[in-house]
Amino acid sequence: MKMLFGTFPAMLTPYNKDFSINADEYIKIARFGIAQGLNGIFCNGSAGDGLALSFEKKVELMKLSLEAAQGKVPVISGIGSVIYEETIALANEAKKLGLDALLLQPPFYYPLSEENMIEYFSNIAKQVSLPLYIYNIPLFAPPISLKVAQKLSKIKNIVGMKDSAGSAVDFAHFSDVCDFDIFVGREEYYLGALLNGAKGSMTSCGCVFPEVMSGIYQSFLQKDYIKAQKLQKFILKAIRFAGTLPFPLGYACLLEARGFNFNNVLSIHPIDSHILQNIENKKQEAISIIKEMKEIVDLKDL
């Protein structure tokens, strides 16, 4: 069974003005990241509007990710849905297409007990053949407790967890008691998570700043903790900027400042005059952040 490791981007999804996926730009973003040291591609996550896309568009992103990867790096896809059958269908499509792994958060909107959650993930793990990573993201879905994570870590085919809770304390406990790999989903804590046993990261900044996020990982492996800390600190200003716009618009704005095209269109946000003006007001600030960071870190041009 193929296990994942290293720095993965939580891919953003660029669109054409008619809301169709901009395939050329998506592949361009993904291949740029791979060239800068990313260890794989993660599609259909929160940053890529994965929970707001149709089944057909989710499958399209799987295909585009495979095309971008060219067999050089593994591809993992989110399969989360409140519709149980859709989750299974997405898993089956991923297997058929040749993806390497799946990521699944608890069903959102409907509350789950710990027993319900264990049963939910256990049943899906039995029905899918690709390695399954569970996803702890309390901002958008019911949180996965330490008890639940520990029990699920012993189930065949549940091979790991992405933890986006943002708690260093909780991460340390997950790492201590769970028998599977753990990826961090918060870029602010990448170095700390690696020191606490993380296998890697899956983050929005991995998509926007692949050379920086992969640099943290490589510096950690080389035990150059001073450089790793410098890169870790470097990313914080970008995260604060991204937080000034509705998620994930801030990260799209930063990608545009790096030369990619998003057409001011994201699937989850209605395009009204207020949002458009806010984006326009932020673009110069994003460009300034990129310029400032280029003076500190060797950001590559497109």
Side-chain angles (χ1 to χ4, degrees):
M1 187 178 289
K2 193 172 184 180
M3 296 295 103
L4 307 182
F5 64 89
T7 309
F8 283 67
M11 288 292 295
L12 276 75
T13 304
Y15 301 95
N16 300 305
K17 291 190 181 295
D18 63 358
F19 285 97
S20 61
I21 293 172
N22 187 334
D24 290 342
E25 202 69 5
Y26 183 89
I27 291 174
K28 183 179 177 183
I29 294 168
R31 287 184 176 168
F32 174 75
I34 293 168
Q36 307 312 318
L38 294 179
N39 300 104
I41 297 174
F42 165 44
C43 65
N44 286 317
S46 307
D49 305 332
L51 281 301
L53 298 178
S54 67
F55 181 89
E56 291 75 18
K57 283 185 176 178
K58 291 174 186 175
V59 173
E60 182 180 354
L61 287 175
M62 292 181 192
K63 293 177 180 177
L64 290 174
S65 298
L66 287 169
E67 183 178 346
Q70 298 176 303
K72 297 177 181 178
V73 296
V75 175
I76 179 173
S77 175
I79 57 170
S81 173
V82 292
I83 304 170
Y84 189 88
E85 292 84 358
E86 181 174 90
T87 291
I88 299 299
L90 286 168
N92 290 337
E93 283 293 325
K95 172 65 176 178
K96 187 193 311 180
L97 292 171
L99 271 70
D100 297 276
L102 310 168
L103 184 76
L104 177 63
Q105 73 273 42
F108 44 95
Y109 188 80
Y110 299 104
L112 292 175
S113 68
E114 289 184 325
E115 290 72 22
N116 290 153
M117 196 177 292
I118 292 169
E119 192 68 18
Y120 174 78
F121 281 113
S122 300
N123 283 337
I124 289 180
K126 293 173 186 175
Q127 295 186 61
V128 303
S129 54
L130 289 177
L132 179 65
Y133 290 77
I134 62 174
Y135 187 10
N136 185 34
I137 182 165
L139 182 62
F140 298 131
I144 296 175
S145 69
L146 184 64
K147 172 186 173 182
V148 169
Q150 185 176 18
K151 288 194 174 183
L152 291 176
S153 74
K154 301 181 185 305
I155 293 174
K156 185 178 180 181
N157 203 39
I158 297 182
V159 299
M161 177 172 75
K162 176 184 174 182
D163 178 39
S164 293
S167 167
V169 173
D170 288 346
F171 192 96
H173 287 289
F174 283 132
S175 182
D176 184 46
V177 305
C178 293
D179 294 329
F180 54 26
D181 294 337
I182 305 179
F183 282 73
V184 66
R186 295 290 294 266
E187 40 271 283
E188 303 99 319
Y189 184 55
Y190 194 10
L191 177 57
L194 289 169
L195 290 167
N196 255 318
K199 200 74 171 182
S201 68
M202 299 179 192
T203 69
S204 302
C205 278
C207 181
V208 181
F209 299 106
E211 61 273 75
V212 178
M213 293 300 289
S214 62
I216 293 171
Y217 180 70
Q218 291 301 323
S219 298
F220 169 78
L221 293 181
Q222 296 162 10
K223 298 185 179 181
D224 188 348
Y225 302 123
I226 293 176
K227 181 178 180 181
Q229 182 59 44
K230 177 183 176 183
L231 293 171
Q232 179 70 82
K233 187 174 181 180
F234 157 88
I235 213 75
L236 296 177
K237 186 171 185 178
I239 297 168
R240 289 194 295 270
F241 167 82
T244 64
L245 288 167
F247 179 81
L249 285 172
Y251 293 100
C253 196
L254 287 166
L255 269 174
E256 285 207 322
R258 297 210 66 181
F260 297 103
N261 181 22
F262 274 79
N263 286 316
N264 285 338
V265 177
L266 287 182
S267 178
I268 195 63
H269 292 289
I271 307 303
D272 60 31
S273 58
H274 173 73
I275 290 179
L276 283 175
Q277 188 58 53
N278 201 12
I279 293 172
E280 288 301 318
N281 293 341
K282 292 290 183 180
K283 281 186 175 179
Q284 190 56 52
E285 184 181 348
I287 291 170
S288 297
I289 288 173
I290 300 300
K291 182 178 179 181
E292 178 184 337
M293 290 183 172
K294 281 186 174 181
E295 295 173 358
I296 303 171
V297 180
D298 184 23
L299 290 185
K300 311 295 191 301
D301 292 324
L302 300 182

